[in-house]
Amino acid sequence: MFRRMTTIEPPDGHWSLRLPRKREASGALFFDSAGRVLVVKPTYTDGWDYPGGVVDANEAPYAAAAREVKEELGLTRPLGRLLVVDWEPRTEAIPIEGLMTVFDGGVLTPEEIASITLQESELGAFDFWSIRQVREMRPALYGRRISAAMRARKTGAVAYLENGYPPVSF
């Protein structure tokens, strides 16, 4: 379904090895017919999140989101457009900055919802939440990002965020 590019390793001493490193993750938002968003409960951390995960080396963000959705939920449907790009600063918990992307997964049919098969090594549960529940979620960063993605889905614009917030100059 998705084509991976050949990995090219720079030779020892190449100038690119001195560039800053960032982590990258990508995911997708799915909705039920009532407009509630699908959230998942990871087994390896507190709180709820949206389906997605780390973008592998030489993997595009869209391909990573689709791969993660298949691995985590067992869903193999095409994803829609980009909703959010969010830069995360370093924190004590994760001391490397990151770039996160969120794509539109669309509305799931009752049959697709019934077919969800959670990846037990990573997810313990899933649910559908209203925008109010999303805004109250912890970690709050995920609530801000999901809320922005839901707004972007309605407006047709891509949301650019910094740590879940629009930049001050916007």
Side-chain angles (χ1 to χ4, degrees):
M1 180 175 184
F2 298 100
R3 183 174 59 105
R4 285 198 184 237
M5 310 254 326
T6 304
T7 300
I8 299 171
E9 296 297 327
D12 289 341
H14 193 268
W15 63 269
S16 65
L17 296 173
R18 295 186 301 274
L19 294 175
R21 300 288 180 239
K22 290 188 187 327
R23 63 190 164 85
E24 187 176 1
S26 191
L29 292 190
F30 295 93
F31 300 86
D32 67 6
S33 61
R36 298 175 303 167
V37 67
L38 174 74
V39 292
V40 294
K41 176 76 173 106
T43 57
Y44 52 86
T45 189
D46 291 334
W48 291 75
D49 202 347
Y50 54 93
V54 172
V55 177
D56 290 337
N58 236 17
E59 183 179 38
Y62 182 92
R67 175 184 51 76
E68 286 286 341
V69 164
K70 181 178 180 182
E71 290 173 5
E72 292 182 350
L73 304 176
L75 296 175
T76 57
R77 67 195 325 254
L79 301 179
R81 68 181 188 82
L82 177 67
L83 298 174
V84 170
V85 176
D86 190 5
W87 171 82
E88 287 184 13
R90 296 175 181 181
T91 64
E92 294 222 1
I94 304 174
I96 184 170
E97 66 186 303
L99 193 62
M100 312 302 150
T101 51
V102 181
F103 292 90
D104 188 354
V107 177
L108 296 174
T109 66
E111 294 78 21
E112 288 172 314
I113 294 168
S115 76
I116 291 175
T117 306
L118 296 178
Q119 183 181 25
E120 291 180 7
S121 63
E122 289 192 21
L123 301 177
F126 75 92
D127 199 359
F128 286 90
W129 285 6
S130 69
I131 187 68
R132 181 189 59 75
Q133 290 171 296
V134 166
R135 288 185 181 135
E136 295 170 356
M137 80 187 310
R138 296 291 180 256
L141 168 62
Y142 300 152
R144 293 191 305 269
R145 186 179 301 144
I146 293 170
S147 293
M150 292 172 80
R151 282 190 304 276
R153 190 169 188 263
K154 287 182 181 178
T155 66
V158 174
Y160 170 74
L161 307 172
E162 295 177 357
N163 205 27
Y165 297 105
V168 176
S169 63
F170 276 31

